[in-house]
Amino acid sequence: MVKKKDKVSDNLWKNAWKRLLKNRAAVLGMVIIALIVFSAIFAPYIAPYDPIKQNILARYKPPSAKHLLGTDELGRDILSRIIYGARYSLLIGIISISLALIFGIILGVLAGYYGGLVDLLIMRVVDIMLAFPYILLAIAIVAILGPELRNAMIAISIVNIPRFARLIRSSVLSIKESEYVQAAKALGASDLRIIIKYLLPNSMAPLIVQSTLSIASAILSAAGLSFLGLGAQPPTPEWGAMLSDARSALQLAPWVVTFPGIAIMLNVLGFNLLGDGLRDALDPKLKN
């Protein structure tokens, strides 16, 4: 038999889903993301050419029937590189934010639930990290670890931990004083059980919204690091690296820069639209 609390929780999520589907901007965001995910999964089947195969004789060819988006300085098909680049973009965003979310939840829960010296130490470290500009801290971390896509993902994860830690801490501070949490403590429930059963489930809504928006930010940051030569290295078909390679040909072959830039813009736009829609759907009071 389903408990009454579970039924209420299911209804809340169903209502949130219905509100999300009524939001046209959020639906547009989901469509954009779905198309990017589709491209990433089926890249070998829909890409017309090998993304790293060079053809010097076909360098800087403008968009045509043979190469729909033209070719780059090494004669590589830009459309194929953009399609394969979706894999790296999504991989960077999802993995880096997932890692940041895990560590942010651990630190935020510890700080909010136990308070005292634990809270003081964790939040001072978080404050120090937040004192540095986001991109500069990421650049510093990559400079220490070395210019590589994996290290760029690690850097993006680290710089995103503070925002999740502060978010989950604020939620835990408000929820842990609730009557049902105090009742669970009185009945002898362990701290781990209280955290898993009561604190985390009731903190999911803001975490989902923040995670979606942070994926967009992570994709943009990864593109920026690759543009500076600190992320993906040649010949990886990553959108930021494609922009970096095409800087010298901006006037000669503008399509080499334009289409990867549009791909980054659409990817970030999709996650931002979905994140805004999730925020309104999970907390409809914000829309009013």
Side-chain angles (χ1 to χ4, degrees):
M1 182 177 180
V2 181
K3 296 181 180 179
K4 183 177 180 180
K5 183 179 178 181
D6 294 333
K7 289 183 178 179
V8 173
S9 178
D10 290 341
N11 289 332
L12 290 175
W13 286 107
K14 288 180 180 179
N15 291 334
W17 175 248
K18 291 178 180 178
R19 288 193 294 269
L20 181 64
L21 293 180
K22 292 179 181 179
N23 189 321
R24 294 182 180 179
V27 173
L28 176 60
M30 286 191 288
V31 171
I32 294 173
I33 294 171
L35 291 175
I36 294 173
V37 171
F38 178 84
S39 299
I41 294 174
F42 297 101
Y45 304 100
I46 61 178
Y49 298 94
D50 186 330
I52 62 175
K53 185 177 181 180
Q54 302 178 13
N55 182 7
I56 301 301
L57 297 178
R59 64 194 305 263
Y60 290 136
K61 292 291 184 180
S64 63
K66 187 175 182 181
H67 299 282
L68 295 180
L69 301 184
T71 61
D72 62 9
E73 73 280 3
L74 296 176
R76 297 170 297 193
D77 184 68
I78 294 176
L79 176 59
S80 300
R81 290 179 64 78
I82 288 177
I83 291 174
Y84 273 89
R87 290 184 167 187
Y88 295 96
S89 182
L90 293 174
L91 186 69
I92 291 168
I94 294 174
I95 292 182
S96 60
I97 296 305
S98 296
L99 291 174
L101 180 62
I102 292 171
F103 287 101
I105 287 176
I106 293 173
L107 294 176
V109 167
L110 291 176
Y113 186 74
Y114 292 104
L117 183 60
V118 175
D119 183 27
L120 180 65
L121 292 175
I122 292 176
M123 297 316 297
R124 293 300 74 78
V125 173
V126 167
D127 290 339
I128 291 172
M129 294 178 66
L130 289 174
F132 292 93
Y134 179 93
I135 191 64
L136 291 182
L137 181 58
I139 290 174
I141 295 172
V142 176
I144 295 172
L145 298 177
E148 188 182 355
L149 185 60
R150 180 183 60 183
N151 294 337
M153 292 168 61
I154 294 173
I156 294 171
S157 298
I158 293 174
V159 299
N160 276 284
I161 289 175
R163 66 177 65 181
F164 288 109
R166 290 178 69 91
L167 181 63
I168 191 68
R169 173 182 177 270
S170 62
S171 296
V172 169
L173 285 175
S174 60
I175 296 171
K176 75 174 185 178
E177 301 300 331
S178 302
E179 294 181 357
Y180 57 87
V181 174
Q182 297 301 321
K185 287 182 178 180
L187 293 173
S190 64
D191 291 343
L192 183 61
R193 178 177 176 80
I194 292 173
I195 291 171
I196 294 177
K197 188 173 182 179
Y198 299 105
L199 299 184
L200 289 182
N202 289 286
S203 303
M204 287 304 297
L207 285 177
I208 291 173
V209 175
Q210 185 61 54
S211 298
T212 307
L213 294 173
S214 295
I215 289 177
S217 177
I219 291 171
L220 197 59
S221 298
L225 291 173
S226 295
F227 181 81
L228 296 173
L230 298 174
Q233 302 299 308
T236 305
E238 197 273 335
W239 296 337
M242 292 173 65
L243 288 176
S244 180
D245 294 339
R247 282 180 296 180
S248 60
L250 183 58
Q251 294 182 342
L252 175 64
W255 58 86
V256 180
V257 178
T258 302
F259 295 117
I262 292 175
I264 295 172
M265 183 270 292
L266 288 176
N267 206 349
V268 173
L269 177 65
F271 281 102
N272 279 334
L273 290 177
L274 178 58
D276 289 339
L278 286 171
R279 180 190 59 196
D280 294 337
L282 294 173
D283 191 357
K285 291 182 294 184
L286 291 175
K287 198 170 184 178
N288 297 326

